[in-house]
């Protein structure tokens, strides 16, 4: 069985790939399809992470996976306990007590926690003791705003990932802020991969993949 998926590299300050973000796709169209986000998360986890040798796709590096509010509350990440994943909390997940409790449990299980497209509010302060990485979309949060938050993030030992970097100037600005991780079209657009998965849900099944193309920008 074949299934589509996209990957986009995450780099360090010296432009070395240290991780990937895996994105749901259902065709060669390199955009998020018209589908419920919860269904997309479920399919990505079950089709790719549990039913193929995903490590080959990501060169044995960690990978960021977007999780919806419901998938976090339902404990979907628990199925990936032995996977080198970063649990990326989608930007529309509310900072509720239930979500905080679920993330604390994931943290004690050894998961790395990231907040996606983060926009600061005091409601998120209780989460700072759990979160490892905060992703800032520079089309939503300015470098000036990120700089103002740096002391608070440093206090909680939270690493910064700056995404949507498209120019060398933006990369330099992100480096000057001592961001730990970098992501954007300057380095690579998401690449669509046709992944062979095992329909019997056997994690050890060998996976073959071929990078097809990514002429259109994806998200």
């Amino acid at each position: 069985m074949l299934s589509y998926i996209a990957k986009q590299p995450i780099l360090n300050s010296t432009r070395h790939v240290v991780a990937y973000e895996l994105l749901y796709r259902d065709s060669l169209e390199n955009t998020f399809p018209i589908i419920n986000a919860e269904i997309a998360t479920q399919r990505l986890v079950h089709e790719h992470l549990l039913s193929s040798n995903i490590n080959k796709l990501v060169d044995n590096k960690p990978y960021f996976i977007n999780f919806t509010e419901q998938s976090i509350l339902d404990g979907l990440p628990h199925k990936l306990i032995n996977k080198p994943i970063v649990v990326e909390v989608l930007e529309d997940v509310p900072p509720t007590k239930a979500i905080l409790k679920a993330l604390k449990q994931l943290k004690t299980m050894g998961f790395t926690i990231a907040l996606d497209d983060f926009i600061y509010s005091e409601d998120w302060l209780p989460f700072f003791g759990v979160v490892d990485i905060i992703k800032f979309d520079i089309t939503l949060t300015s470098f000036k705003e990120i700089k103002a938050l740096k002391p608070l993030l440093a206090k909680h030992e939270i690493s910064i990932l700056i995404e949507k970097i498209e120019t060398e100037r933006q990369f330099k600005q992100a480096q000057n802020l001592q961001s730990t991780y970098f992501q954007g079209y300057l380095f690579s657009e998401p690449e669509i991969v046709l992944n062979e998965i095992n329909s019997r849900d056997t994690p050890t099944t060998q996976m073959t993949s071929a990078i097809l193309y990514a002429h259109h920008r994806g998200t």
Side-chain angles (χ1 to χ4, degrees):
M1 178 179 175
L2 298 177
S3 185
Y4 294 99
I5 191 171
K7 65 175 185 176
Q8 186 177 30
I10 294 169
L11 297 82
N12 62 17
S13 61
T14 59
R15 296 185 188 242
H16 288 122
V17 177
V18 295
Y20 288 90
E21 181 172 6
L22 298 182
L23 304 162
Y24 179 78
R25 297 289 185 265
D26 63 359
S27 72
L28 288 174
E29 185 68 25
N30 201 2
T31 58
F32 188 80
I34 301 175
I35 186 175
N36 180 276
E38 177 64 26
I39 295 174
T41 299
Q42 290 278 350
R43 287 183 178 175
L44 191 148
V45 167
H46 288 281
E47 291 181 7
H48 296 281
L49 305 189
L50 297 177
S51 303
S52 75
N53 181 9
I54 201 70
N55 289 333
K56 183 177 179 181
L57 175 65
V58 296
D59 303 321
N60 293 308
K61 291 180 171 60
Y63 39 94
F64 287 58
I65 302 294
N66 295 320
F67 285 92
T68 62
E69 177 185 14
Q70 195 59 50
S71 65
I72 293 170
L73 294 177
D74 288 345
L76 182 60
H78 295 194
K79 296 184 178 183
L80 305 170
I81 185 63
N82 295 318
K83 306 283 187 180
I85 76 163
V86 175
V87 175
E88 188 170 336
V89 181
L90 282 170
E91 64 274 11
D92 60 356
V93 175
T96 63
K97 290 181 179 179
I99 287 293
L100 179 57
K101 180 180 178 180
L103 293 182
K104 283 182 176 178
Q105 183 178 17
L106 292 176
K107 183 75 171 182
T108 60
M109 295 171 69
F111 286 98
T112 299
I113 310 295
L115 299 181
D116 187 30
D117 293 351
F118 182 74
I119 296 178
Y120 177 74
S121 77
E122 291 187 358
D123 292 337
W124 284 104
L125 279 176
F127 290 76
F128 280 15
V130 179
V131 171
D132 301 286
I133 301 167
I134 285 181
K135 298 182 70 173
F136 289 103
D137 178 338
I138 55 174
T139 68
L140 302 174
T141 304
S142 69
F143 285 110
K144 183 178 180 180
E145 290 171 318
I146 297 171
K147 183 177 181 180
L149 286 171
K150 275 196 63 184
L152 179 60
L153 302 183
K155 176 182 177 181
H156 292 277
E157 299 182 337
I158 297 174
S159 298
I160 295 174
L161 189 160
I162 295 181
E163 60 178 337
K164 299 295 177 67
I165 296 174
E166 296 194 4
T167 67
E168 290 290 345
R169 182 174 181 272
Q170 290 172 338
F171 180 43
K172 184 65 176 177
Q173 287 177 289
Q175 286 178 310
N176 289 340
L177 281 177
Q178 296 182 317
S179 178
T180 305
Y181 307 107
F182 308 81
Q183 186 177 4
Y185 296 133
L186 174 64
F187 315 110
S188 175
E189 297 184 11
E191 296 175 316
I192 293 183
V193 173
L194 189 58
N195 186 15
E196 184 178 340
I197 62 176
N198 178 22
S199 59
R200 293 175 299 174
D201 293 329
T202 304
T204 56
T205 296
Q206 292 298 311
M207 179 273 293
T208 59
S209 63
I211 294 175
L212 301 173
Y213 63 83
H215 294 314
H216 303 288
R217 291 186 173 182
T219 57

